[in-house]
C-alpha cells in the first residue's frame, strides 16, 4: 500500500483486519509518505510514519485523531518558552520520546529505513511492515505569494499546521527530490506484491509525494514482477466523497495542482494504467455511483462501495472491496 498519515492509517488498519479474517496467509507492506518530515529542535519528526506506528499499535489518541493516547505536553511548553519551537506546533512528551530515539539512531548512522525497522521492534503492528518511501531527506515546501506579491516558500508543516492550508499555495516543491530514490524496503515490497493499494490519502502531498520520488512510479507500475502472478493490479480508493475531502484539507492541495475536488477528477489525475496512468481500478463512495459508468468508459475498473471508515468493520469491508476490485471488473 502507498499511504500518507491519518487517512492511510485508518485504511491500513482495515486492511490488516481483512487479512486477518479472510487472507491469513497474506502480509502487508506500507510505503509511507516522508514529505511531511522535518527538523525541529534538533529532532527529526516524521508525522505520517508515526501516525501509522501509533495507530497500528493501538497507541493513538482516537478522540483527537492523532498523536499518542494519554499524552502530556510539558516538554513542549518548555521548548516554546525558550523559543526553540513555534507556538503553533506542539509535540507530546511521549511522542518526543520517539523523536529523540529516532534522532539518536540517525546520528549513530542508521538510515531512516533502519530507524523505522527498529521502532517497529518495540511496537506490535500485527504483522504490518512500514517502509519510509525514501531514505533521502525530501521535505515538501509550499510556495505562496507574500504581502509584497513576491513568491516565498515555507515548510509544508507551517502551511498545513500554522495556516491550516488557508493561504493559497502556488505550488508544492519536493526539495532535493532529484537526488532521491525509493527506499530498499519499498522496492522489495513492490517486487513481491500481489496487489498494490493506493490508500484514500491526500492525492497531492501524500500519494503525489511518494510517486514523485524518482523511480517510484516505475517501480509501482512494475509491481509484482517476482510474485506468483507476475503483475500486481493497482487499486485506488477515493479520499473524496460527494465533492469534499472526508477529513482534512485535501481540497486546498487539489486546487493548487488544478484538479477538482471530486472522486472522478482524482481518478483521472492518477490516470488509467491502460492510457499511461497508474490505476487499474478505482473505488468511489455509493453516493458517487453516477460516476462509475464514466470511469469504466475511461478505462478504470470502477465500483461504488461505502467509503466512510467509521470503525474496524467498515474499514475492513472497504479494504476487502479494494482487494476484489479488479476481479469484479465489468
Ligand atoms: P494525513 O497525512 O494525516 O493528512 O493523512 P492522509 O494523507 O493519509 O489522508 C488524508 C485523507 O484521508 C483526507 O484527504 C481524507 O479525505 C481521507 N480520509 C480520511 N478518512 C477517510 C474515510 O473514512 N474514508 C475515505 N474514503 N477517506 C478518508
Ligand atoms: Ca501527512
Amino acid at each position: 500500500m502507498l499511504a500518507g498519515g491519518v487517512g492511510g492509517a485508518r485504511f491500513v488498519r482495515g486492511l490488516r483486519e481483512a487479512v486477518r479474517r479472510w487472507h491469513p496467509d497474506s502480509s502487508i507492506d506500507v510505503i509511507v509518505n516522508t514529505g511531511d518530515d522535518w527538523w525541529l529542535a534538533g529532532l527529526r519528526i516524521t508525522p505520517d510514519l508515526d501516525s501509522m506506528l501509533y495507530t497500528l499499535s493501538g497507541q493513538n489518541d482516537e478522540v483527537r485523531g492523532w498523536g499518542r493516547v494519554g499524552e502530556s505536553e510539558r516538554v513542549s511548553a518548555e521548548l516554546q518558552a525558550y523559543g526553540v519551537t513555534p507556538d503553533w506546533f506542539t509535540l507530546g512528551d511521549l511522542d518526543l520520546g520517539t523523536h529523540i530515539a529516532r534522532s539518536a539512531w540517525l546520528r549513530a548512522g542508521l538510515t531512516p529505513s533502519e530507524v523505522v525497522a527498529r521502532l517497529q521492534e518495540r511496537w506490535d503492528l500485527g504483522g504490518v511492515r512500514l517502509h519510509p518511501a525514501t531514505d533521502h531527506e525530501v521535505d515538501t515546501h509550499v510556495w505562496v505569494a507574500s504581502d509584497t506579491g513576491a513568491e516565498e516558500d515555507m515548510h509544508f508543516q507551517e502551511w498545513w499546521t500554522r495556516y491550516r492550508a488557508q493561504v493559497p499555495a502556488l505550488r508544492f516543491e519536493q526539495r532535493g527530490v532529484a537526488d532521491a530514490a525509493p527506499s530498499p524496503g519499498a522496492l522489495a515490497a513492490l517486487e513481491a506484491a500481489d496487489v498494490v493499494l493506493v490508500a484514500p490519502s491526500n492525492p497531492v502531498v501524500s500519494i503525489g509525494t511518494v510517486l514523485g520520488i524518482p523511480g517510484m512510479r516505475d517501480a509501482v507500475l512494475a509491481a509484482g514482477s517476482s510474485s506468483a502472478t507476475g503483475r500486481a493490479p493497482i487499486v485506488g480508493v477515493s479520499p473524496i466523497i460527494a465533492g469534499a475531502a472526508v477529513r482534512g484539507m485535501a481540497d486546498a492541495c487539489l486546487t493548487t495542482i488544478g484538479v477538482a475536488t471530486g472522486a472522478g477528477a482524482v481518478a483521472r489525475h492518477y490516470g488509467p494504467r491502460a492510457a499511461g496512468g497508474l490505476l487499474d481500478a478505482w473505488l468511489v463512495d455509493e453516493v458517487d455511483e453516477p460516476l462509475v459508468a464514466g470511469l469504466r468508459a475511461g478505462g478504470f475498473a470502477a465500483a461504488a462501495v461505502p467509503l466512510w471508515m467509521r470503525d474496524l468493520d467498515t474499514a475492513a469491508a472497504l479494504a476487502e472491496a479494494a482487494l476484489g476490485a479488479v476481479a469484479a471488473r465489468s
Side-chain angles (χ1 to χ4, degrees):
M1 180 184 305
L2 312 184
V6 174
R10 283 175 172 266
F11 189 57
V12 179
R13 202 166 45 178
L15 180 65
R16 181 177 65 180
E17 186 60 22
V19 164
R20 260 184 202 148
R21 291 183 193 174
W22 303 303
H23 314 279
D25 295 335
S26 297
S27 60
I28 303 167
D29 289 89
V30 189
I31 300 172
V32 184
N33 172 42
T34 49
D36 302 7
D37 299 4
W38 63 327
W39 287 98
L40 195 62
L43 302 174
R44 189 66 175 159
I45 319 280
T46 66
D48 287 0
L49 277 159
D50 290 347
S51 291
M52 286 285 173
L53 195 66
Y54 298 153
T55 302
L56 293 171
S57 63
Q59 303 298 312
N60 62 312
D61 187 329
E62 283 285 332
V63 177
R64 194 170 50 163
W66 53 275
R68 295 271 297 268
V69 70
E71 190 58 286
S72 54
E73 290 167 355
R74 299 187 66 196
V75 177
S76 208
E78 287 297 299
L79 293 173
Q80 290 177 358
Y82 282 121
V84 168
T85 57
D87 61 3
W88 45 265
F89 201 86
T90 301
L91 295 160
D93 295 331
L94 299 174
D95 192 33
L96 270 164
T98 307
H99 304 322
I100 293 169
R102 172 187 305 110
S103 305
W105 289 329
L106 288 172
R107 287 201 178 87
L110 269 65
T111 65
S113 288
E114 289 165 345
V115 167
V116 169
R118 199 172 278 191
L119 289 169
Q120 288 170 89
E121 284 174 16
R122 174 173 175 209
W123 305 107
D124 177 9
L125 304 190
V128 177
R129 286 180 300 257
L130 304 179
H131 310 278
T134 178
D135 280 337
H136 296 250
E137 264 178 39
V138 189
D139 299 3
T140 300
H141 284 248
V142 185
W143 284 88
V144 302
S146 74
D147 296 341
T148 63
E151 293 186 358
E152 60 185 25
D153 76 282
M154 62 182 89
H155 191 282
F156 172 77
Q157 287 299 347
E158 184 168 9
W159 183 71
W160 191 254
T161 307
R162 181 181 192 181
Y163 296 110
R164 313 297 305 163
Q166 297 305 301
V167 180
L170 303 171
R171 62 185 177 280
F172 300 100
E173 177 193 349
Q174 292 180 268
R175 188 150 294 176
V177 73
D179 302 324
S183 69
L187 290 175
L190 286 167
E191 260 178 41
D194 300 307
V195 57
V196 177
L197 300 178
V198 179
S201 290
N202 189 309
V204 186
V205 295
S206 291
I207 304 298
T209 307
V210 172
L211 292 171
I213 296 159
M216 183 67 86
R217 202 186 162 81
D218 287 344
V220 173
L221 287 165
S225 55
S226 72
S227 77
T229 50
R231 182 177 126 157
I234 306 171
V235 181
V237 178
S238 177
I240 308 296
I241 299 177
V246 179
R247 298 177 176 91
M249 309 168 285
D251 48 334
C253 305
L254 288 166
T255 303
T256 297
I257 65 161
V259 175
T261 302
V266 172
R268 287 188 297 277
H269 167 63
Y270 287 133
R273 181 178 344 210
L278 186 76
L279 298 173
D280 294 292
W282 183 243
L283 296 184
V284 302
D285 188 70
E286 287 172 315
V287 301
D288 289 317
E289 205 280 330
L291 299 173
V292 167
L295 285 165
R296 285 184 183 161
F300 302 93
V305 300
L307 241 53
W308 276 93
M309 297 180 281
R310 297 178 204 282
D311 50 29
L312 198 54
D313 281 339
T314 51
L318 174 57
E320 185 64 6
L323 292 174
V326 173
R329 184 200 292 263
S330 56

